[in-house]
Amino acid sequence: MKKIFTLLTAILFAIALKAQSNEVFVGADLIVYNAKITTQSQSQPQASALAVKRGRIYAVGIDAEILSLKDNNTKLIDANGRRLIPGLNDAHTHILSERSFNYNVRWEGVPTLQRALEMLSEQAKRTPEGQWVKVIGGWSPYQFKENRLPTMDELKKAVPDRPLIVQYAYNQAFLNELAMKAFGVGTDQFPGMPGTEFEKDKEGHYTGIVHSYTFTFISLEYLVPQASFEEQVSSITNVVHELNRFGITTALDAAAASGYAQGHAPIDFLAKENRLNIRFPFIDIQFGDVSAPTMVDAEINAITKRSPISPRENVDPTMAHGHEYEGTGEMLRLVLHDHENFDKPAIIVNKDSMRLYIKEDVTKLVKKRIPFRMHISYNENITPFLDALEEVNQKIPLDGLRWSIEHAETITPENIARVKKLGGGIALDGKMALHGDGFIKTYSREKALQTPRLRLLVDSDIPLAMTTDAFRASSFNPWTSISWMITGKSVSGSEILAKNNRLIRDEALKLFTIGPAWFEHQEDENGRIAPGYLADFALLNKDFFAVPDNEIKSISSVLTIVDGRVVFGTQEFGNLSPKLPETIPSWSPVKYFGGYYREN
């Protein structure tokens, strides 16, 4: 028996040796080395190299260890000692609202009002007859050296013979005479919602300045020339390129006026061509669907009858989490929307209406197991919302269903605790970085210094993300928000965040990496540089952990990787960057100025 056992052992050993000798070594698809890697993984906080296979990171370590995993087919990238971070994840933005991105002049990052006006004048000369000159949000008067809004005289001089609209967030718009005539200002043609105010001069004539709220400005966008489908695809391509430029690799779309599935046609087109260079989870609303009694009913009909899709289902045929449904929101009912216009006092929703409608709507969503997100800026509205949610939870347990409050600028410690107890999350945004100076004028510096309660929220260990809420209410540059969280300063340089309410750099970065992954059900796949995680990361133009505070806002990516492939490259990595298709139309402001402002 012993001899038989020895013989079998020898035979098996020989078979194993032969099998090993016949094995073909399979190398990495991609190796990045000579980097300063911030992994955000506690088991291995720092590294210098990583290896990628089939869109996932499968090894992280020192150069020699990782380079031993290469073969003749491995793409090698020398990081030249640059800082490498997990790809940034913007868990609340509005990409689909930018299907006419190529039609708009972008003022994000423009340092002076003088240059902003010059851009309008230059664009007016190339804009063909029948088209408009437009600036639609994303900027702040406090970013300008002049520290003010443009005057109507300045705007009329810059654009004398084309319709002009310059929109500041969702606060106000500036219209020249041609635009006022086209919109029907002063007539029933203008889609003035409650709260809309038209400024008049001493003679009673309209000046062209319109103060209003979100829905009025959204309506105006549909009264101007619309982009063709080909121009929409070009616009979304440029939007994604701009996000990649800042190291963003995942962007959760927080719904647009045109919902799933028809409104997602440009995304579907890019995904099928393997040109969607960002992971695109999304929430959805069926805005304006009058076939159902409520927006929640319309959403349920849309995802169960018209365009069936399940929560967390990915419809991108080429990339994990490429085009994935994450539920409904950020609006459940129009009457419950508390518009965040920091130039005016808070919109306080009727408490009884909030409780009644949220109980009705959330009950339907919980029964269908549809995750939901709710836009609420002010604590006065958060309280009755949570009252209703607690009542629903008693009757029909949420039972782990993911939900969140979006923005929550003035949430109190008591309501933070209630959200956590109900298993919810909070997706903040960086609007205070752009508009905090206006908040001070409306509410006081003392209140601004604790808005939002960053330190308390981070310490509470609640699911938490920082977002941009781009492209209208705020800028799409996440580093503006990261700088504000660390330095406490707005784009004007004003102190608007108290020292005891600021974050250290690692904490601020996590709110754009690890934190957002929870909102997308990706916390075990996204936000870290670790084996098994998605191969999404960025090399930075400056070392985030070493530069002075005042340089954080100027950080961007020199190399962005999504799903293991290069989607953006500049400087020494410019030759690795995929070539962008030509921007259309030929007169597009983006073709001449780009997206976010570039000095050169």
Side-chain angles (χ1 to χ4, degrees), residues 187-414:
T187 73
D188 292 339
Q189 179 186 335
F190 189 88
M193 308 288 182
T196 300
E197 302 170 7
F198 300 95
E199 282 193 10
K200 293 183 179 181
D201 61 21
K202 293 178 181 179
E203 284 74 39
H205 302 127
Y206 292 112
T207 65
I209 299 176
V210 182
H211 300 271
S212 195
Y213 295 101
T214 312
F215 303 138
T216 293
F217 297 120
I218 290 175
S219 299
L220 293 181
E221 266 295 279
Y222 287 87
L223 299 180
V224 300
Q226 301 296 297
S228 68
F229 180 74
E230 291 76 17
E231 291 168 342
Q232 290 179 35
V233 170
S234 179
S235 290
I236 298 298
T237 299
N238 283 329
V239 167
V240 171
H241 181 74
E242 288 293 315
L243 299 183
N244 293 158
R245 175 187 169 197
F246 290 112
I248 297 175
T249 56
T250 298
L252 189 147
D253 194 87
S258 184
Y260 184 79
Q262 183 177 354
H264 287 231
I267 300 296
D268 286 334
F269 180 86
L270 289 171
K272 288 172 182 175
E273 290 206 342
N274 200 24
R275 291 200 291 126
L276 183 59
N277 292 337
I278 202 163
R279 299 189 200 272
F280 189 87
F282 68 96
I283 56 175
D284 185 59
I285 55 172
Q286 297 295 313
F287 195 83
D289 183 349
V290 296
S291 66
T294 71
M295 294 174 71
V296 166
D297 290 312
E299 179 67 15
I300 291 171
N301 288 343
I303 67 166
T304 60
K305 297 176 182 178
R306 262 199 330 271
S307 305
I309 189 170
S310 301
R312 302 175 63 186
E313 181 181 352
N314 177 29
V315 292
D316 185 333
T318 64
M319 181 167 59
H321 307 297
H323 187 194
E324 187 168 279
Y325 179 61
E326 301 294 342
T328 191
E330 62 176 305
M331 192 189 312
L332 300 184
R333 295 219 185 194
L334 296 181
V335 295
L336 304 183
H337 195 73
D338 66 343
H339 311 269
E340 70 286 21
N341 179 345
F342 295 158
D343 292 339
K344 292 186 176 183
I347 298 289
I348 306 302
V349 178
N350 180 279
K351 294 180 181 180
D352 292 334
S353 296
M354 178 71 82
R355 293 187 183 104
L356 173 65
Y357 293 142
I358 289 302
K359 280 191 289 185
E360 288 181 8
D361 293 340
V362 171
T363 295
K364 296 172 185 176
L365 295 172
V366 175
K367 286 181 178 179
K368 298 286 186 180
R369 303 300 296 170
I370 300 173
F372 60 94
R373 301 173 71 164
M374 182 70 176
H375 169 125
I376 320 182
S377 295
Y378 303 107
N379 192 70
E380 294 89 338
N381 300 321
I382 292 173
T383 296
F385 170 79
L386 292 176
D387 291 343
L389 211 57
E390 286 166 344
E391 190 170 333
V392 171
N393 187 49
Q394 289 176 352
K395 297 178 180 178
I396 310 172
L398 294 169
D399 191 26
L401 182 70
R402 297 207 176 174
W403 66 274
S404 64
I405 294 177
E406 310 297 290
H407 315 311
E409 274 89 356
T410 64
I411 191 170
T412 60
E414 295 77 15

Side-chain angles (χ1 to χ4, degrees), residues 513-581:
T513 53
I514 293 173
W518 180 89
F519 295 81
E520 300 146 0
H521 301 85
Q522 296 178 27
E523 57 265 45
D524 295 326
E525 298 180 87
N526 204 341
R528 291 182 169 88
I529 304 296
Y533 276 68
L534 301 170
D536 300 352
F537 48 88
L539 285 176
L540 303 180
N541 66 335
K542 300 177 181 180
D543 189 340
F544 171 61
F545 290 98
V547 296
D549 280 358
N550 64 352
E551 292 188 26
I552 294 173
K553 62 188 177 185
S554 63
I555 288 176
S556 60
S557 175
V558 293
L559 181 73
T560 303
I561 305 285
V562 174
D563 203 39
R565 57 190 174 91
V566 176
V567 296
F568 175 85
T570 190
Q571 298 184 30
E572 69 264 42
F573 305 104
N575 64 323
L576 300 177
S577 187
K579 185 179 179 180
L580 276 176

Side-chain angles (χ1 to χ4, degrees), residues 49-99:
L50 60 82
V52 173
K53 194 73 179 176
R54 292 183 293 276
R56 300 265 175 175
I57 297 166
Y58 76 102
V60 181
I62 61 174
D63 287 0
E65 174 192 359
I66 302 304
L67 285 170
S68 71
L69 302 177
K70 69 181 176 68
D71 64 13
N72 293 334
N73 297 314
T74 302
K75 185 183 188 72
L76 298 177
I77 297 179
D78 182 348
N80 297 326
R82 290 187 181 272
R83 176 66 61 182
L84 186 152
I85 63 169
L88 299 185
N89 185 339
D90 189 350
H92 186 121
T93 187
H94 295 276
I95 292 175
L96 282 170
S97 295
E98 295 305 306
R99 283 171 294 181

Side-chain angles (χ1 to χ4, degrees), residues 144-158:
F144 297 137
K145 181 182 178 181
E146 296 88 342
N147 199 34
R148 66 174 177 85
L149 291 162
T151 67
M152 280 308 311
D153 286 341
E154 290 170 330
L155 294 171
K156 290 175 183 177
K157 182 179 178 181

